[in-house]
Amino acid sequence: MNGGKWVGESRGVTPVYLRCYQGRVSWVYPRGGLRVVLRHGLTGKDFRGCIRVNPSFAGARIFAEDRKYLKELYSPGDNQPVKLARCFRSRKGQAVLYMEAAPPSSSGNLFPKYLAEFSYDLEPVKPNSYDPAEKCKPCDREELLRAFCTSDLVVSGYIEAIHQEEGMDESEITVRAKKFLKYSSFDSNHIAKEETSRKENELSDITVSITMPKICQSKPGSGQFVFMARKRFDDYTLVCAPRWEDWKQLVWVENRKDDSHCMLSY
């Protein structure tokens, strides 16, 4: 994870180069502009990028360079939900965001203490194409194995509820946990305490929130699944969700091979 903090000192444009797939950009006392160049590591792969602004973001606007034009991603007071993910596509392996500082205030305070801050997330995609409906398709064998080994959270359980907030392009599903198969250092203390503080037959009291594209029409109570998710911003985002019975069979087969990505479990 990468990012940085910059202090506005002039009215020029300052270039910033970032290569991590996740990070945060903080611009204190914004003046002039920042030109933020994003790449997904050293791979040169195309990606879909998204940003989420800090709730107290102020003093600047954010644009994405689209060929010869600037497309506005965020402007204070644009009447969109603050936690909305504002997304863009790379071209030839890189994307450029331009942050433009607001004009000086007429109040007489030439240097108001504004903080223009956002988090970003980059996800590789196939060249020249991105279809949100792709995320609704069942993962194949190789995608399941890779998802289990690389996800920040893997939990088996049931869909208890689905919440769709107006103005958002994602739904939030509430998963009632039956068993935590994997979790990263993000929530290791919290989840470990939750698990050890309950008997096994009381684990069903734990729920987890996971986001997924709104166009994927999931329904509560449709059986037990294994939810594999990665951390994006402050949320878990669904990667794959095989039925528990199918996953159990796959684990039984794959753990008997010598070429598994990692040790699988159910």
Side-chain angles (χ1 to χ4, degrees):
M1 183 173 290
N2 199 353
K5 180 177 287 187
W6 290 268
V7 178
E9 297 178 349
S10 70
R11 296 185 181 277
V13 177
T14 302
V16 179
Y17 299 91
L18 301 174
R19 292 183 180 274
C20 289
Y21 73 94
Q22 288 181 332
R24 183 172 63 251
V25 174
S26 302
W27 192 14
V28 185
Y29 298 107
R31 297 185 69 197
L34 283 184
R35 186 174 185 269
V36 184
V37 181
L38 300 171
R39 294 180 66 88
H40 195 281
L42 300 174
T43 64
K45 292 182 178 179
D46 277 309
F47 55 85
R48 179 177 185 255
C50 295
I51 65 169
R52 178 180 288 178
V53 299
N54 184 302
S56 59
F57 187 105
R61 296 188 295 169
I62 306 175
F63 302 84
E65 284 192 6
D66 185 5
R67 299 182 185 274
K68 297 181 180 180
Y69 303 96
L70 291 177
K71 175 184 176 182
E72 186 173 274
L73 288 182
Y74 174 77
S75 177
D78 63 6
N79 297 320
Q80 297 294 323
V82 175
K83 66 178 183 178
L84 178 69
R86 300 151 194 272
C87 302
F88 50 91
R89 281 292 308 272
S90 68
R91 292 188 67 249
K92 297 182 180 181
Q94 82 173 26
V96 177
L97 302 182
Y98 179 70
M99 300 180 69
E100 179 187 63
S105 172
S106 60
S107 64
N109 184 359
L110 296 179
F111 302 103
K113 192 175 181 179
Y114 289 142
L115 173 62
E117 182 178 74
F118 67 87
S119 299
Y120 71 88
D121 178 272
L122 312 180
E123 183 178 8
V125 295
K126 296 179 181 179
N128 304 318
S129 67
Y130 175 74
D131 182 1
E134 288 286 333
K135 291 183 176 293
C136 304
K137 296 180 180 179
C139 295
D140 61 27
R141 168 189 166 278
E142 185 63 27
E143 290 171 335
L144 286 173
L145 298 179
R146 184 170 58 251
F148 181 90
C149 296
T150 60
S151 290
D152 296 309
L153 175 71
V154 182
V155 57
S156 64
Y158 305 86
I159 299 177
E160 183 177 81
I162 299 177
H163 175 68
Q164 297 182 348
E165 185 174 333
E166 185 176 355
M168 301 291 288
D169 57 5
E170 293 179 323
S171 299
E172 183 180 274
I173 59 176
T174 300
V175 175
R176 184 157 295 280
K178 186 173 178 63
K179 184 179 181 180
F180 286 92
L181 306 178
K182 180 185 176 185
Y183 43 82
S184 71
S185 59
F186 291 114
D187 294 314
S188 58
N189 291 334
H190 171 72
I191 294 178
K193 288 178 181 178
E194 290 274 14
E195 288 192 273
T196 56
S197 66
R198 290 175 166 86
K199 297 179 181 179
E200 186 175 352
N201 61 359
E202 296 176 334
L203 187 59
S204 60
D205 290 337
I206 301 178
T207 59
V208 179
S209 294
I210 300 175
T211 63
M212 64 184 300
K214 185 181 292 186
I215 62 174
C216 302
Q217 300 296 320
S218 296
K219 297 180 180 179
S222 55
Q224 183 177 347
F225 293 85
V226 177
F227 300 90
M228 305 176 187
R230 71 181 188 94
K231 199 78 169 183
R232 190 186 76 159
F233 306 133
D234 295 323
D235 304 322
Y236 283 114
T237 299
L238 188 67
V239 178
C240 294
R243 289 191 175 274
W244 183 81
E245 297 86 353
D246 297 335
W247 176 247
K248 180 180 178 180
Q249 179 62 30
L250 182 61
V251 170
W252 189 89
V253 172
E254 293 298 327
N255 277 349
R256 283 158 177 74
K257 299 180 180 180
D258 295 329
D259 59 349
S260 297
H261 295 265
C262 63
M263 181 57 67
L264 310 175
S265 62
Y266 58 84

